[in-house]
Amino acid sequence: MARRPALRALADRLGILPAYQAAGSGRRRVTSDATRVALLAALGIDAGDESAARHALEALEAEQQAQALDPVQLVGAGRRARLRLRQPGAMPVRWELQVQEEDGPVHAAEGRWRRGAAGPRLPRLPPGVHEVRLVLHGPGTLRHASQTLVVAPAACCDVAELLGRRRVFGLWTHLYTLRGTRDLGVGNLTDLCALARFAGRIGAAFVGLNPLHAVRNRMPEISPYSPVSRLFRNPLYLDPTATPEWKQGAGARLVPPARVRELTALRRAGRVRYERVNALQRPLLAELHRRFRRIHGRGATPRGRAFATFCARGGELLRQFAIFSALEEHLAARGHARDWRSWPRGYREPAAPGVRDFAAAHARAVEREAWIQFELDRQLGEAARTARRAGLALGLYQDLALGSIASGFDAWAFPGLFVDGASLGAPPDEYSTTGQDWGLPPLAPRRLAAQGFRYWTLLLRAAFAHAGALRIDHVMGLFRQWWIPAGRPASEGAYVRFPADALLAVLALESRRHGALVVGEDLGTVPRGLPARLARAGVLSSRVLLFERDRRGRFRPASRYSRRALVTANTHDLPTLAGFWEGRDLVDRRTVGAIPDAAAFREAQRQRAWERRALLRRLAAEGLAGRTDPPPAYPELSAAVHAFLCRTPAPLVGVALDDLSGETEALNLPGVSPERHPSWTRRMRLRVDALGRDPGVRRALAGLASRASR
């Protein structure tokens, strides 16, 4: 095979890693040249032969030398820094400098500079994302340059700052699973308020949630981890009956008698029927918005002024999302796909004339979509306040998904930022021998930096809103991401390096601004040194009981758990505790063919029986289980497991609401399509207001007594 030194140098320059250590085996896996060529093509760079690769390398070098400033500079909070200038000539130049503080004043300075000398000294700036504008006057030339200046603290908020020396527990759940007294067949933000009050009564410090990002809510696009947008929220979680407009009118009459039977059926169903809930909710929201316009539309009432303020604060991005949402509904009603890439050409980008004309002709529909986001924000804020009033020290613990779908709003609103021709996933490991392709388009690292990490900043501000803690799904993505070339299997991907220092700096800045903890989901193929780097950044780790084993498969003692982690029994991608105990997940995997035959199923059952005994032995060794044969009833097992987690030195314990109530079906069966298994649809069997009265829940709660925050 011909050597490709230029290709490999180019790939390295653009962050495509040459190799990685495989999880489990520890073997070194080398990136193929074919994968390098394909991923570079996805980034818009031709490297099909050595001549093209050399030309691309030279172009990159020339581009960098032509820039007087790097696109981003990081500065520690409280420190002063200098600009690092690049000037091709040796002659001195005169410079003029302006530094625009984020939401603050402009600093101006000027002077002279010669190549090799220290650059202009910057003023001492407060933490924030600031803009530098520079003009260089040289002999016969005038050069303009700009830079994003990120002034950030060294680390995110620390547990001790928010909780002191307390070690606490909280509940985690997926909001759509909750049952309330007046839902539409899906858990909503009113149910979240009820759950927060229950959590307060049992001494919890937080309630954790799935991502609340905007999702299409139509099969198969229902996963909270494959959203249309990570910047805006899912209308499905809005409770129409909690809007002031419902209360101001005869709200119950908004549901026609012919739909009452449908509503009753949706409430009783064991699964969320997304399309049917949509069909019931959308007309309600349209009528409630009409009432809002009639009562508050002129902005003369406090609620009308609050909406105007929300729209002003959301700015052009909120307007674009509202237009996108209304436009998608409009085009779908006329037979077009819900994918902007196949829309008529005049609608494929926010600045297109057709988009402007549509917004003008359908102003009320656009306003309605903005109003829905306004009401979602209000109801989520009320849930956060309810949690704090109930005594939850951290309040709501929210979740930021890894990416958004290629056909959705974020890719439409930020053209060029998302990579076309590659998708995110995971390499082969002990959980998937072929790897995983999640179908999400990656962000282009150089473009992200060139835009001053604006999209990342916006993501974090949306995610931290009303949150006392934030989980970052697949936090390794801040360091490196597994990219799969389009049309190739996941095993033929490669890791691509990301600007972790800058991403962590912005994360620390927003964590401090919002006074919220950060937990990173760092499970799977974790590169060496990453846990230490996360610890320095103040990001807590994730530890999961079902994964905490030694090389022989035995469960680790509680004392061996991390002191800088959130510990849980499982995750949304794993079986519930009762499902693990009963082997329900094995039955589900056999049903969809993930366990291929009867012999493999019997072997899986045999292995599970060994794991159950191993868990009981660990609980008995900790003095939490008095017998292994016969095994304890589920409520006693649940109490023992949660008492074990509370015994760890970890500051945070997350208890799945499903494990308290004894649900056996997992939230998700990874790698299985919705057509084969109904992931993300299962609802809880108990209503939120019945949790405290259920005998099984009451017995399971006994294991949390040692961590009650009050």
Side-chain angles (χ1 to χ4, degrees), residues 133-156:
R133 295 185 290 269
L134 179 71
V135 180
L136 295 177
H137 301 267
T141 64
L142 185 67
R143 299 175 70 197
H144 293 264
S146 62
Q147 180 181 79
T148 298
L149 192 67
V150 181
V151 180
C156 301

Side-chain angles (χ1 to χ4, degrees), residues 16 21 28 49 89 118 127 140 153 164 169 227 263 270 290 313 315 352 355 427 463 529 545 566 570 626 691 708:
I16 301 172
Q21 298 295 124
R28 189 171 186 267
D49 56 42
F169 80 92
L263 174 58
R290 281 191 287 271
R313 190 170 64 244
V355 173
L545 170 72
L566 166 77
N570 43 34
L691 289 170

Side-chain angles (χ1 to χ4, degrees), residues 136 162 246 287 332 366 431 458 513 569:
L136 295 177
L162 301 184
W246 181 283
E287 177 57 33
V366 171
Y431 304 106
L458 292 170
R513 280 179 164 170

Side-chain angles (χ1 to χ4, degrees), residues 247-265:
K247 298 171 182 177
Q248 287 166 345
R253 291 204 298 270
L254 291 177
V255 181
R259 304 303 299 272
V260 171
R261 183 176 297 178
E262 171 81 348
L263 174 58
T264 301

Side-chain angles (χ1 to χ4, degrees), residues 8-22:
R8 297 183 182 190
L10 177 63
D12 184 68
R13 177 75 172 264
L14 292 173
I16 301 172
L17 301 186
Y20 74 97
Q21 298 295 124

Side-chain angles (χ1 to χ4, degrees), residues 480-702:
R480 65 181 193 180
Q481 297 178 0
W482 185 257
W483 287 18
I484 305 160
R488 306 283 183 86
S491 58
E492 294 184 18
Y495 275 112
V496 176
R497 185 171 56 248
F498 266 64
D501 288 345
L503 296 172
L504 288 171
V506 177
L507 177 61
L509 175 63
E510 296 302 326
S511 165
R512 294 275 172 183
R513 280 179 164 170
H514 292 84
L517 298 178
V518 178
V519 179
E521 187 264 303
D522 54 352
L523 308 170
T525 305
V526 180
R528 183 176 300 173
L530 184 139
R533 180 69 185 88
L534 289 175
R536 290 196 300 274
V539 178
L540 297 174
S541 182
S542 298
R543 291 292 178 267
V544 178
L545 170 72
L546 296 182
F547 290 159
E548 288 294 300
R549 319 274 193 94
D550 63 20
R551 292 185 177 182
R552 296 174 61 183
R554 297 173 301 189
F555 288 87
R556 301 184 192 281
S559 60
R560 295 281 303 279
Y561 278 62
S562 170
R563 296 177 180 275
R564 288 194 46 79
L566 166 77
V567 300
T568 59
N570 43 34
T571 74
H572 61 261
D573 285 331
L574 293 172
T576 65
L577 188 57
F580 169 85
W581 195 247
E582 297 179 11
R584 166 67 185 270
D585 60 309
L586 302 181
V587 174
D588 289 341
R589 290 171 59 203
R590 176 72 184 103
T591 300
V592 301
I595 297 177
D597 52 42
F601 182 59
R602 288 193 296 272
E603 174 58 24
Q605 288 180 310
R606 187 198 64 78
Q607 176 63 25
R608 180 59 54 82
W610 186 92
E611 291 173 329
R612 284 197 298 264
R613 290 193 297 271
L615 177 57
L616 286 178
R617 283 194 292 269
R618 169 48 50 203
L619 296 175
E622 302 275 345
L624 298 171
R627 65 181 190 277
T628 59
D629 190 24
Y634 177 73
E636 284 70 33
L637 172 76
S638 176
V641 165
H642 292 116
F644 171 81
L645 296 179
C646 287
R647 186 169 291 187
T648 68
L652 306 178
V653 169
V655 178
L657 193 61
D658 286 344
D659 291 344
L660 283 184
S661 63
E663 300 290 344
T664 58
E665 183 183 334
L667 293 165
N668 176 40
L669 205 58
V672 179
S673 67
E675 294 81 9
R676 296 166 59 206
H677 183 80
S679 293
W680 317 116
T681 65
R682 191 261 297 151
R683 302 194 73 193
M684 291 188 62
R685 59 183 181 83
L686 293 176
R687 279 193 347 203
V688 175
D689 61 343
L691 289 170
R693 299 191 300 271
D694 183 77
V697 172
R698 291 166 69 92
R699 288 199 296 274
L701 285 173

